[in-house]
Amino acid sequence: MDWNLLWFVILGILLTGYAILDGFDLGVGMLSPLGKTDKEKRIILNSIGPIWDGNEVWLVTFGGAMFAAFPEAYATVFSGYYEGFMVILAALIFRAVSIEFRSKLQIATWRGIWDKVFFVSSLTASFVFGVAVGGAMTGVPLDGRGIFRGSVSDQIDWYPVLTGFLTIAMFLMHGAIYLTLKTGGELRQRARRWIWIGYFAFLALYLALTVATLTTIPKALHNFHEFPFAYAVVILNVLAIMNISRTVKMEAFGQAFLSSACTIAALVFLFGVSLFPNLVASDPHPENSLTIYNAASSTATLKLMTLIAVIGMPFVLGYTGAVYWTFRGRVELDKHSY
């Protein structure tokens, strides 16, 4: 494994961590209307209260790592997808504001407004993240210098939109499973019903997107012939999806959450395999694509980044683990809660 490939793998790990952790986080936001009373809404909000900002560190780290390791790809992505990133940024900002501001006043109208902002921003962020992944699969028009030459309409086609809906369903299912671990009573039963709604929506969209990928993006299959071990991940992914329904029926929600996390990890892995060695695929001129070799920093930079990552990652993982362990169990409200 060379340094460029190593950092492609590290980016994949960071993206996987973000998708799993902020996935249930965003799913909880989309399920916030499940709360019928102010107390239930507070329980939903506080289920992610101590961890939501830590989950987003993975996204920030992903962006920083991409900037340092593959600056040309970073420049193309962040300038070419400028409108999409502004939408995501606005959604994440308003989502954070809604979490912090809701509990500042005891006025029903005030809280109702921020509840709606919390729901809409979570839904919007999930959808746009999915559209971005779908757009990366189909490719975008790049010129000979790897600069995006197109408009927003070139990024929004039926395939990216379908990927956006798949992402919504997947995060909604993931978030509903998480809520069953953090809540009780009628609220927990409502979350349980939404696991099935999210699960069947995800299943239908997953099958539709698989057929669409096989029939319209043949280049996505090229690497599976080069790396046959990737088929094993496809099989494991199917088993993980099937295990979600099995464990939910058994009310083994901890196992269901683990299976849901494995499903997300497998999909990110398969996305990486399909994209490799491209970071930004060019369509219709694949020779203009930005790869992990023509868009990378120098080898010396990648070596230095690896040293920093080796030193820093244990602290990030240790902090994340400590926070999750400290706030384990069902939500209990107190005067410090949101």
Side-chain angles (χ1 to χ4, degrees), residues 35-43 102 106 111 115 333:
K36 292 184 176 178
T37 63
D38 185 65
K39 181 181 179 182
E40 287 186 347
K41 291 180 183 299
R42 289 184 67 205
I43 289 174
R102 185 186 186 279
Q106 297 280 346
R111 295 195 167 198
D115 287 339
L333 298 179

Side-chain angles (χ1 to χ4, degrees), residues 135-155:
M137 287 290 291
T138 56
V140 291
L142 302 180
D143 66 12
R145 295 175 57 201
I147 298 173
F148 175 73
R149 298 297 183 189
S151 62
V152 176
S153 61
D154 294 315
Q155 304 167 12

Side-chain angles (χ1 to χ4, degrees), residues 129-207:
F129 277 132
V131 170
V133 171
M137 287 290 291
T138 56
V140 291
L142 302 180
D143 66 12
R145 295 175 57 201
I147 298 173
F148 175 73
R149 298 297 183 189
S151 62
V152 176
S153 61
D154 294 315
Q155 304 167 12
I156 304 176
D157 202 351
W158 66 269
Y159 186 91
V161 170
L162 188 62
T163 312
F165 286 126
L166 173 74
T167 306
I168 288 175
M170 182 171 68
F171 286 174
L172 193 145
M173 172 187 69
H174 198 43
I177 297 172
Y178 177 77
L179 275 181
T180 61
L181 297 171
K182 303 295 287 186
T183 61
E186 290 184 14
L187 179 58
R188 187 169 188 254
Q189 291 305 314
R190 270 176 255 144
R192 188 177 184 277
R193 285 196 291 275
W194 272 91
I195 293 177
W196 289 113
I197 294 172
Y199 179 77
F200 286 118
F202 166 74
L203 202 58
L205 289 164
Y206 174 74
L207 293 173

